[in-house]
């Protein structure tokens, strides 16, 4: 009986892990990429020679959650890029099924919001490699491009003034202090990524 | 006046919950009713696309012990602007909730430990326990019915 239970646990454990999306966990080495920015130039993580870390955000134009966070992402880059933690935004949505997320719309948004960080087209399914499932979805990498934090920017999408925990900023503070990131994964509601099939 | 507002709210059939735990009491019950809970939002295209499957299935199981709960994750300031008009326009008679709990990192794992938070997502509860969870959309009413039949 014990053995049967063990096998049952093993079996269910496996079937559950089988349904989990692939992608990075904390501690995994993240791959670099080369994706087209809104200005037409290609951007890679390795372009940021002096980076101490990277704030990789999968986001898009049309998702209400992404829109709620847009100003906060801009503020994060303004605060942390000079400290060596640049924001690199990647739009993984299929521009055909989501015209609001096409290249022209991305350019438009960057202009409208005076966005200074790269806003890249995910032509290489980098979102799948990273394991991003929704927008916005943040991956904080350290200098060696090891994933140190995955999740939300903070704990209140709707109301920036009601935020109690700034998850991402706390994770960056841990990296800056050379500590292990205390809260290394968080969950958030977001729009599912609608990539090309 | 207050009574009037409450009455109107009931008419519109959207109950707003500020806390997940208050909402989950509506489907974590010690009875043999199957609670099919769908997390959606008016802005979420794949969610809106699969809603008719839930409405059809609800009709199909009308005389069975199956209850359908549609949980909107629209921002609460969109209730009157978008959610209620959407429900009225699509003639949705199901029980509709709006979950305004902003502590997503706190409540998402209570639905399912593996849920990333992307919607659509659906869960089935029976006897106060989750018996099924799906992240992503259903392809058809029959897919949804097949799943429900497994747990009836």
């Amino acid at each position: 009986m014990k053995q049967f239970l063990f096998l049952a646990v093993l079996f269910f454990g496996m079937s559950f892990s089988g349904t989990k999306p692939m992608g990075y966990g904390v501690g995994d080495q993240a791959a670099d990429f080369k994706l087209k920015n809104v200005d037409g130039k290609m951007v890679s993580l390795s372009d940021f020679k002096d980076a101490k870390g990277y704030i990789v955000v999968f986001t898009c134009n049309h998702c209400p959650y992404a829109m709620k966070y847009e100003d906060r992402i801009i503020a994060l880059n303004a605060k942390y890029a000079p400290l060596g933690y640049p924001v690199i935004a990647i739009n993984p949505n299929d521009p055909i099924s989501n015209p609001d997320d096409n290249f022209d719309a991305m350019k438009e948004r960057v202009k409208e919001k005076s966005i200074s960080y790269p806003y890249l087209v995910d032509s290489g399914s980098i979102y799948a490699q990273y394991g991003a499932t929704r927008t916005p979805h943040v991956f904080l990498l350290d200098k060696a491009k090891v994933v140190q934090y995955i999740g939300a920017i903070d704990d209140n999408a709707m109301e920036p003034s009601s935020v109690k925990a700034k998850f991402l900023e706390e994770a960056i503070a841990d990296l800056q202090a050379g500590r292990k990131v205390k809260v290394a994964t968080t969950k958030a509601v977001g729009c599912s990524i609608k990539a090309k099939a | 006046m207050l009574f009037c507002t409450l009455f109107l709210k009931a008419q519109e059939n959207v109950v707003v919950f500020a806390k997940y735990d208050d909402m989950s009491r509506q489907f974590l019950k010690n009875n043999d009713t199957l609670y099919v809970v769908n997390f959606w939002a008016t802005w979420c295209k794949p969610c809106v696309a699969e809603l008719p499957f839930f409405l059809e299935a609800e009709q199909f199981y009308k005389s069975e012990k199956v209850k359908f709960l549609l949980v909107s994750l629209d921002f609460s300031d969109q209730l009157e602007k978008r959610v209620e008009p959407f429900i009225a326009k699509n003639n949705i008679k199901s029980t509709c909730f709006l979950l305004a709990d902003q502590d997503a990192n706190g409540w998402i794992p209570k639905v399912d430990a593996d849920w990333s938070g992307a919607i659509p997502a659906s869960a089935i509860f029976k006897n106060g326990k989750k018996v099924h969870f799906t992240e992503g959309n259903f392809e058809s009413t029959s897919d949804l019915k097949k799943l429900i039949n497994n747990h009836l």
Side-chain angles (χ1 to χ4, degrees):
Chain A
M1 186 61 192
K2 254 188 187 161
Q3 206 166 18
F4 170 76
L5 273 178
F6 172 72
L7 281 174
V9 167
L10 193 68
F11 174 75
F12 282 113
M14 283 189 333
S15 62
F16 281 133
S17 66
T19 61
K20 263 191 188 172
M22 301 290 285
Y24 295 144
V26 170
D28 285 347
Q29 178 73 50
D32 202 349
F33 43 74
K34 198 171 185 181
L35 299 173
K36 189 167 82 169
N37 195 5
V38 282
D39 62 4
K41 291 185 187 133
M42 302 304 279
V43 172
S44 297
L45 294 175
S46 56
D47 296 338
F48 297 85
K49 302 279 180 230
D50 302 321
K52 292 173 185 156
Y54 309 84
I55 304 169
V56 179
V57 187
F58 293 89
T59 187
C60 70
N61 276 6
H62 86 278
C63 169
Y65 277 82
M67 286 159 80
K68 284 275 185 199
Y69 273 111
E70 204 160 50
D71 288 344
R72 279 174 265 183
I73 296 170
I74 292 168
L76 280 166
N77 189 61
K79 180 172 174 186
Y80 288 101
L83 301 173
Y85 297 86
V87 167
I88 296 111
I90 302 177
N91 180 352
N93 282 339
D94 174 17
I96 308 296
S97 59
N98 301 279
D100 290 348
D101 280 327
N102 72 21
F103 194 61
D104 286 339
M106 287 171 68
K107 281 200 282 197
E108 187 74 20
R109 184 62 60 81
V110 164
K111 206 174 138 197
E112 196 181 299
K113 287 279 194 175
S114 310
I115 289 171
S116 57
Y117 51 80
Y119 187 23
L120 311 175
V121 180
D122 192 359
S123 51
S125 289
I126 301 302
Y127 82 92
Q129 194 175 0
Y130 274 59
T133 56
R134 58 174 192 273
T135 54
H137 204 159
V138 178
F139 291 73
L140 174 66
L141 317 180
D142 66 13
K143 192 178 172 62
K145 303 186 187 76
V146 173
V147 180
Q148 297 294 349
Y149 171 78
I150 304 173
I153 290 166
D154 58 43
D155 68 351
N156 197 317
M158 185 165 149
E159 206 40 75
S161 59
S162 304
V163 167
K164 288 192 202 87
K166 294 184 173 182
F167 301 128
L168 176 61
E169 294 205 44
E170 285 163 19
I172 297 170
D174 286 339
L175 283 194
Q176 285 173 320
R179 290 187 299 256
K180 195 174 178 310
V181 174
K182 208 166 133 201
V183 180
T185 58
T186 56
K187 305 252 181 172
V189 176
C191 307
S192 53
I193 290 172
K194 295 162 247 338
K196 269 177 260 186
Chain B
M1 183 60 197
L2 182 67
F3 175 76
C4 188
T5 329
L6 285 172
F7 184 68
L8 281 174
K9 281 272 177 290
Q11 285 275 298
E12 291 286 358
N13 205 16
V14 181
V15 184
V16 179
F17 288 96
K19 290 282 159 227
Y20 176 81
D21 290 342
D22 292 330
M23 184 182 80
S24 65
R25 272 186 217 120
Q26 309 297 316
F27 51 79
L28 295 177
K29 293 189 179 182
N30 280 321
N31 59 31
D32 56 356
T33 299
L34 209 62
Y35 291 90
V36 180
V37 182
N38 175 245
F39 294 91
W40 71 290
T42 57
W43 45 260
C44 164
K45 271 196 222 166
C47 305
V48 170
E50 72 167 1
L51 273 183
F53 309 152
F54 285 85
L55 304 181
E56 276 177 43
E58 186 173 33
Q59 279 305 307
F60 183 82
Y61 292 106
K62 224 170 21 188
S63 53
E64 311 245 10
K65 286 183 178 175
V66 184
K67 273 198 176 158
F68 287 76
L69 307 171
L70 303 179
V71 179
S72 156
L73 297 178
D74 284 85
F75 292 118
S76 53
D77 58 4
Q78 301 295 305
L79 177 66
E80 280 155 42
K81 262 184 272 172
R82 288 194 61 140
V83 184
E84 288 177 342
F86 181 95
I87 287 165
K89 190 176 140 221
N90 291 284
N91 202 23
I92 295 172
K93 305 283 183 214
S94 322
T95 304
C96 292
F97 296 158
L98 186 145
L99 180 59
D101 191 340
Q102 285 298 306
D103 180 21
N105 188 49
W107 69 259
I108 287 171
K110 290 182 189 173
V111 181
D112 188 276
D114 285 338
W115 183 18
S116 77
I119 52 173
S122 304
I124 300 179
F125 299 88
K126 191 179 188 176
N127 281 318
K129 283 196 183 95
K130 179 189 65 201
V131 293
H132 179 84
F133 177 77
T134 298
E135 176 166 345
N137 58 293
F138 288 92
E139 297 290 337
S140 65
T141 308
S142 62
D143 275 2
L144 178 60
K145 276 166 34 181
K146 229 179 275 173
L147 179 68
I148 292 169
N149 287 338
N150 285 342
H151 296 288
L152 268 182

Coordinates of all heavy atoms in Angstrom, one line a residue, chain A residues 110-162:
Chain A
V110 N 5.9 54.7 -27.9 CA 7.2 55.1 -27.4 C 7.4 56.6 -27.5 O 7.8 57.3 -26.7 CB 8.4 54.4 -28.2 CG1 9.7 55.1 -28.0 CG2 8.4 52.9 -27.7
K111 N 6.8 57.1 -28.7 CA 6.9 58.6 -28.9 C 6.0 59.3 -27.9 O 6.4 60.3 -27.3 CB 6.4 58.8 -30.4 CG 7.0 60.1 -31.0 CD 6.6 60.2 -32.5 CE 6.2 61.6 -32.8 NZ 5.5 61.7 -34.0
E112 N 4.8 58.8 -27.8 CA 3.8 59.4 -27.0 C 4.2 59.5 -25.5 O 4.0 60.5 -24.9 CB 2.5 58.5 -27.1 CG 1.2 59.0 -26.6 CD 0.2 57.9 -26.8 OE1 0.0 57.4 -27.9 OE2 -0.3 57.5 -25.8
K113 N 4.9 58.5 -25.1 CA 5.3 58.4 -23.7 C 6.7 58.8 -23.4 O 7.2 58.7 -22.3 CB 5.0 57.0 -23.1 CG 3.6 56.6 -22.9 CD 3.1 57.2 -21.6 CE 1.8 56.6 -21.2 NZ 1.5 57.1 -19.8
S114 N 7.4 59.2 -24.5 CA 8.9 59.5 -24.4 C 9.6 58.4 -23.7 O 10.4 58.6 -22.8 CB 9.1 60.8 -23.7 OG 8.3 61.8 -24.2
I115 N 9.4 57.1 -24.2 CA 10.0 56.0 -23.6 C 11.5 55.9 -24.0 O 11.7 56.0 -25.2 CB 9.3 54.7 -23.9 CG1 7.9 54.7 -23.1 CG2 10.1 53.4 -23.6 CD1 7.0 53.6 -23.5
S116 N 12.4 55.8 -23.1 CA 13.8 55.9 -23.5 C 14.5 54.5 -23.4 O 15.6 54.3 -23.9 CB 14.6 56.8 -22.6 OG 14.4 56.5 -21.2
Y117 N 13.8 53.5 -22.8 CA 14.4 52.1 -22.8 C 14.0 51.4 -24.1 O 13.0 51.8 -24.8 CB 13.9 51.4 -21.6 CG 12.4 51.4 -21.3 CD1 11.6 50.5 -22.0 CD2 11.9 52.2 -20.4 CE1 10.3 50.5 -21.8 CE2 10.5 52.2 -20.2 CZ 9.7 51.4 -20.9 OH 8.3 51.4 -20.7
P118 N 14.8 50.4 -24.4 CA 14.4 49.6 -25.6 C 13.0 48.9 -25.5 O 12.7 48.5 -24.4 CB 15.5 48.5 -25.7 CG 16.5 48.9 -24.7 CD 15.9 49.8 -23.8
Y119 N 12.3 49.0 -26.6 CA 11.0 48.3 -26.6 C 11.0 47.4 -27.8 O 10.9 47.9 -29.0 CB 9.9 49.3 -26.7 CG 8.4 48.8 -26.6 CD1 8.2 47.6 -25.9 CD2 7.4 49.6 -27.1 CE1 6.9 47.2 -25.8 CE2 6.1 49.1 -26.9 CZ 5.8 47.9 -26.3 OH 4.5 47.5 -26.2
L120 N 11.2 46.1 -27.6 CA 11.7 45.2 -28.7 C 10.5 44.3 -29.1 O 9.6 43.9 -28.4 CB 12.8 44.3 -28.1 CG 14.0 45.1 -27.5 CD1 15.0 44.0 -26.9 CD2 14.7 46.0 -28.4
V121 N 10.6 43.9 -30.4 CA 9.6 43.0 -31.0 C 10.2 41.6 -30.8 O 11.3 41.3 -31.1 CB 9.5 43.2 -32.5 CG1 8.5 42.2 -33.1 CG2 9.1 44.7 -32.8
D122 N 9.4 40.7 -30.1 CA 9.8 39.4 -29.8 C 9.7 38.4 -31.0 O 8.9 37.6 -31.0 CB 9.1 38.8 -28.6 CG 9.7 37.6 -28.1 OD1 10.7 37.1 -28.6 OD2 9.2 37.0 -27.1
S123 N 10.6 38.6 -32.0 CA 10.5 37.8 -33.2 C 11.1 36.4 -33.0 O 11.0 35.5 -33.8 CB 11.2 38.5 -34.4 OG 12.5 38.9 -33.9
G124 N 11.8 36.2 -31.8 CA 12.5 35.0 -31.6 C 11.8 34.1 -30.5 O 12.5 33.2 -30.0
S125 N 10.5 34.4 -30.2 CA 9.9 33.7 -29.1 C 10.7 33.6 -27.8 O 10.8 32.6 -27.1 CB 9.5 32.3 -29.5 OG 8.5 32.3 -30.5
I126 N 11.3 34.7 -27.5 CA 12.1 34.8 -26.3 C 11.2 34.6 -25.1 O 11.6 34.1 -24.0 CB 12.9 36.2 -26.2 CG1 13.8 36.3 -27.4 CG2 13.7 36.3 -24.9 CD1 14.9 35.2 -27.6
Y127 N 10.0 35.1 -25.2 CA 9.0 35.0 -24.1 C 8.9 33.5 -23.6 O 8.8 33.2 -22.5 CB 7.7 35.6 -24.4 CG 6.8 34.7 -25.2 CD1 5.9 33.8 -24.6 CD2 6.9 34.6 -26.6 CE1 5.1 33.0 -25.3 CE2 6.1 33.7 -27.3 CZ 5.2 32.9 -26.7 OH 4.5 32.0 -27.4
A128 N 8.8 32.6 -24.7 CA 8.6 31.2 -24.4 C 9.9 30.6 -23.7 O 9.8 29.8 -22.8 CB 8.3 30.4 -25.7
Q129 N 11.0 31.1 -24.2 CA 12.3 30.6 -23.7 C 12.4 31.0 -22.2 O 12.8 30.2 -21.3 CB 13.4 31.2 -24.5 CG 14.8 30.6 -24.2 CD 15.8 31.1 -25.1 OE1 15.6 32.0 -26.0 NE2 17.0 30.7 -25.0
Y130 N 12.0 32.2 -21.9 CA 12.0 32.8 -20.5 C 10.9 32.2 -19.7 O 11.1 32.0 -18.5 CB 12.0 34.3 -20.5 CG 13.3 35.0 -20.7 CD1 14.1 34.7 -21.9 CD2 13.8 35.8 -19.8 CE1 15.3 35.3 -22.0 CE2 15.1 36.5 -19.9 CZ 15.8 36.2 -21.1 OH 17.0 36.8 -21.2
G131 N 9.8 31.8 -20.3 CA 8.7 31.3 -19.6 C 7.7 32.4 -19.1 O 6.9 32.2 -18.2
A132 N 7.7 33.5 -19.9 CA 6.7 34.5 -19.6 C 5.4 34.1 -20.1 O 5.3 33.5 -21.2 CB 7.1 35.8 -20.3
T133 N 4.3 34.3 -19.3 CA 3.0 33.8 -19.7 C 2.0 35.0 -19.8 O 0.9 34.9 -20.4 CB 2.4 32.9 -18.7 OG1 2.4 33.5 -17.4 CG2 3.2 31.6 -18.6
R134 N 2.4 36.1 -19.3 CA 1.4 37.2 -19.3 C 2.2 38.6 -19.4 O 3.4 38.6 -19.3 CB 0.6 37.2 -18.0 CG 1.6 37.3 -16.8 CD 0.9 37.5 -15.4 NE 1.9 37.8 -14.5 CZ 2.6 37.0 -13.8 NH1 2.5 35.7 -14.0 NH2 3.5 37.4 -12.9
T135 N 1.4 39.6 -19.7 CA 2.0 40.9 -19.7 C 1.3 41.7 -18.6 O 0.1 41.6 -18.5 CB 1.8 41.6 -21.0 OG1 0.4 41.6 -21.4 CG2 2.6 41.0 -22.1
P136 N 2.0 42.5 -17.8 CA 3.5 42.5 -17.7 C 4.1 41.3 -16.9 O 3.4 40.9 -16.0 CB 3.8 43.8 -17.0 CG 2.6 44.1 -16.2 CD 1.4 43.5 -16.9
H137 N 5.2 40.9 -17.3 CA 5.9 39.8 -16.6 C 7.4 40.1 -16.5 O 8.0 40.3 -17.5 CB 5.7 38.5 -17.3 CG 5.8 37.2 -16.5 ND1 5.2 36.0 -16.9 CD2 6.4 37.0 -15.3 CE1 5.5 35.1 -16.0 NE2 6.2 35.7 -15.0
V138 N 7.9 40.3 -15.3 CA 9.3 40.8 -15.1 C 10.3 39.6 -14.8 O 10.0 38.7 -14.0 CB 9.3 41.8 -13.9 CG1 10.8 42.3 -13.7 CG2 8.4 42.9 -14.2
F139 N 11.4 39.7 -15.4 CA 12.6 38.8 -15.1 C 13.7 39.7 -14.8 O 14.2 40.5 -15.6 CB 12.9 37.9 -16.3 CG 11.8 36.9 -16.6 CD1 10.7 37.3 -17.2 CD2 12.0 35.6 -16.3 CE1 9.7 36.3 -17.4 CE2 11.1 34.6 -16.5 CZ 9.9 35.0 -17.1
L140 N 14.2 39.6 -13.5 CA 15.4 40.4 -13.1 C 16.6 39.5 -13.2 O 16.6 38.4 -12.5 CB 15.2 41.0 -11.7 CG 16.4 41.7 -11.1 CD1 16.7 43.0 -11.8 CD2 16.1 42.0 -9.6
L141 N 17.6 39.9 -14.0 CA 18.8 39.1 -14.1 C 19.9 39.9 -13.4 O 19.9 41.1 -13.4 CB 19.1 39.0 -15.6 CG 18.0 38.7 -16.6 CD1 18.6 38.6 -18.0 CD2 17.3 37.4 -16.2
D142 N 20.9 39.1 -12.9 CA 22.1 39.8 -12.3 C 23.1 40.0 -13.4 O 22.8 39.8 -14.6 CB 22.6 38.9 -11.2 CG 23.1 37.6 -11.6 OD1 23.3 37.4 -12.8 OD2 23.4 36.7 -10.7
K143 N 24.3 40.5 -13.0 CA 25.3 40.9 -14.0 C 25.7 39.7 -14.9 O 25.9 39.9 -16.1 CB 26.5 41.3 -13.2 CG 27.6 42.0 -14.0 CD 28.7 42.5 -13.1 CE 29.9 43.0 -13.8 NZ 29.7 44.2 -14.6
A144 N 25.7 38.5 -14.3 CA 26.0 37.3 -15.1 C 24.8 36.7 -15.9 O 24.9 35.6 -16.4 CB 26.6 36.2 -14.1
K145 N 23.8 37.5 -15.9 CA 22.5 37.1 -16.6 C 21.9 35.8 -16.0 O 21.2 35.1 -16.6 CB 22.7 36.9 -18.1 CG 23.3 38.1 -18.8 CD 23.4 37.9 -20.3 CE 24.1 39.0 -21.0 NZ 25.5 38.9 -20.9
V146 N 22.1 35.7 -14.7 CA 21.4 34.6 -13.9 C 20.0 35.2 -13.4 O 20.0 36.3 -12.9 CB 22.2 34.1 -12.8 CG1 21.4 33.1 -11.9 CG2 23.5 33.4 -13.3
V147 N 19.0 34.5 -13.6 CA 17.6 35.0 -13.2 C 17.6 35.0 -11.7 O 17.9 34.0 -11.0 CB 16.5 34.0 -13.7 CG1 15.1 34.5 -13.2 CG2 16.6 33.9 -15.2
Q148 N 17.2 36.2 -11.1 CA 17.2 36.4 -9.7 C 15.8 36.7 -9.1 O 15.6 36.6 -8.0 CB 18.2 37.5 -9.3 CG 19.6 37.2 -9.6 CD 20.2 36.1 -8.8 OE1 19.6 35.6 -7.8 NE2 21.4 35.6 -9.1
Y149 N 14.9 37.1 -10.1 CA 13.6 37.4 -9.6 C 12.6 37.2 -10.8 O 13.0 37.6 -11.9 CB 13.5 38.8 -9.1 CG 12.0 39.3 -8.8 CD1 11.4 38.9 -7.7 CD2 11.4 40.1 -9.7 CE1 10.1 39.2 -7.4 CE2 10.0 40.4 -9.5 CZ 9.4 40.0 -8.4 OH 8.1 40.3 -8.2
I150 N 11.5 36.7 -10.6 CA 10.4 36.5 -11.6 C 9.1 36.9 -11.0 O 8.7 36.4 -10.0 CB 10.3 35.0 -12.1 CG1 11.7 34.5 -12.6 CG2 9.3 34.9 -13.2 CD1 11.7 33.0 -13.0
G151 N 8.4 37.8 -11.7 CA 7.1 38.1 -11.2 C 6.6 39.5 -11.5 O 6.7 40.0 -12.6
A152 N 5.9 40.0 -10.5 CA 5.2 41.3 -10.6 C 6.2 42.5 -10.2 O 7.1 42.3 -9.5 CB 4.0 41.3 -9.8
I153 N 5.8 43.7 -10.7 CA 6.5 44.9 -10.3 C 6.2 45.2 -8.8 O 7.1 45.5 -8.1 CB 6.2 46.0 -11.3 CG1 6.8 45.7 -12.6 CG2 6.7 47.4 -10.7 CD1 6.3 46.5 -13.8
D154 N 4.9 45.2 -8.5 CA 4.6 45.4 -7.1 C 3.2 44.7 -6.8 O 2.8 43.9 -7.6 CB 4.5 47.0 -6.8 CG 3.5 47.7 -7.8 OD1 2.4 47.1 -8.0 OD2 3.8 48.7 -8.3
D155 N 2.6 45.0 -5.7 CA 1.5 44.3 -5.3 C 0.1 45.0 -5.5 O -0.9 44.6 -5.0 CB 1.6 43.9 -3.8 CG 1.5 45.1 -2.9 OD1 1.5 46.2 -3.4 OD2 1.4 44.9 -1.6
N156 N 0.1 46.0 -6.3 CA -1.1 46.7 -6.6 C -1.2 47.2 -8.0 O -0.6 48.3 -8.3 CB -1.5 47.7 -5.6 CG -2.9 48.1 -5.6 OD1 -3.5 48.3 -6.7 ND2 -3.5 48.2 -4.5
A157 N -1.7 46.5 -8.9 CA -1.8 46.9 -10.3 C -2.6 48.2 -10.5 O -2.2 49.1 -11.2 CB -2.3 45.8 -11.2
M158 N -3.7 48.2 -9.8 CA -4.7 49.2 -10.1 C -4.3 50.6 -9.6 O -4.5 51.6 -10.2 CB -6.1 48.8 -9.5 CG -7.1 49.8 -9.9 SD -8.8 49.2 -9.6 CE -9.6 50.7 -9.2
E159 N -3.8 50.6 -8.3 CA -3.6 51.8 -7.6 C -2.2 52.0 -7.1 O -1.8 51.5 -6.1 CB -4.6 51.8 -6.4 CG -5.0 53.2 -5.9 CD -5.3 54.2 -7.0 OE1 -6.3 54.1 -7.7 OE2 -4.4 55.0 -7.2
P160 N -1.3 52.7 -7.9 CA 0.1 52.8 -7.5 C 0.2 53.4 -6.1 O 1.1 53.0 -5.3 CB 0.7 53.8 -8.5 CG -0.3 53.8 -9.7 CD -1.6 53.4 -9.1
S161 N -0.7 54.3 -5.7 CA -0.6 54.9 -4.4 C -0.9 53.9 -3.2 O -0.6 54.2 -2.1 CB -1.5 56.1 -4.3 OG -2.8 55.7 -4.5
S162 N -1.5 52.8 -3.6 CA -1.9 51.8 -2.5 C -0.9 50.6 -2.5 O -1.1 49.7 -1.7 CB -3.3 51.2 -2.8 OG -4.2 52.2 -2.9

